[in-house]
């Protein structure tokens, strides 16, 4: 399966957003698409776990009420169909995979 011109354009925009201007020099092909898919899959795993992280407790809040509210919020975040990823998850995953992208861009 070959990428269309529009798909290549969108993939390049995404990679430049994540990795900066150096991604303009990277080839945009099926292999780079597959690596980007892997990045997003890994980021989703992180985002799924982030749904379970309690948010900060406001100053002066009742700890028992705050904890009960956080448990409800965690459950709601977990059951809703989230379409996005947490930015921190995309950033950390992209940093971890940067070498893979550079090697793929170099044809290795």
């Amino acid at each position: 399966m070959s990428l269309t011109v529009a798909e290549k354009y969108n993939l390049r925009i995404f990679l430049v957003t994540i990795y900066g201007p150096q991604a303009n020099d990277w080839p945009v092909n099926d292999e780079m698409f597959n690596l980007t898919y892997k990045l997003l899959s890994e980021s989703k795993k992180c985002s799924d776990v982030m749904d379970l992280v309690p948010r900060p407790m406001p100053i002066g809040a009742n700890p028992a009420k705050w904890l009960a509210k956080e448990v409800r919020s965690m459950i709601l975040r977990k059951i809703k169909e989230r379409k996005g990823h947490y930015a921190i998850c995309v950033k950390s995953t992209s940093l971890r995979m940067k070498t893979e992208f550079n090697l793929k861009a170099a044809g290795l």
Side-chain angles (χ1 to χ4, degrees):
M1 177 184 97
S2 185
L3 297 173
T4 67
V5 173
E7 290 168 338
K8 287 181 180 183
Y9 175 78
N10 290 331
L11 180 57
R12 182 169 308 283
I13 295 297
F14 178 77
L15 292 173
V16 168
T17 301
I18 300 297
Y19 290 108
Q22 70 178 354
N24 279 317
D25 298 329
W26 293 352
V28 179
N29 53 30
D30 290 343
E31 291 179 4
M32 197 61 78
F33 174 82
N34 292 339
L35 195 54
T36 304
Y37 183 82
K38 179 181 172 186
L39 181 147
L40 292 173
S41 294
E42 294 295 318
S43 173
K44 183 179 181 325
K45 292 177 192 174
C46 170
S47 293
D48 288 344
V49 172
M50 287 293 288
D51 284 340
L52 303 176
V53 174
R55 301 322 189 232
M57 184 172 81
I59 296 174
N62 178 326
K65 287 183 181 179
W66 170 81
L67 186 58
K69 179 182 172 238
E70 282 302 302
V71 169
R72 282 192 308 269
S73 294
M74 283 181 218
I75 292 169
L76 290 174
R77 283 192 301 266
K78 200 65 188 151
I79 62 174
K80 82 173 187 180
E81 289 202 28
R82 179 177 25 82
K83 302 240 188 291
H85 296 243
Y86 286 92
I88 190 67
C89 292
V90 174
K91 289 178 190 271
S92 64
T93 305
S94 66
L95 284 173
R96 188 170 38 83
M97 293 183 65
K98 188 172 184 175
T99 302
E100 288 182 65
F101 277 90
N102 283 323
L103 288 172
K104 192 66 70 180
L108 302 174

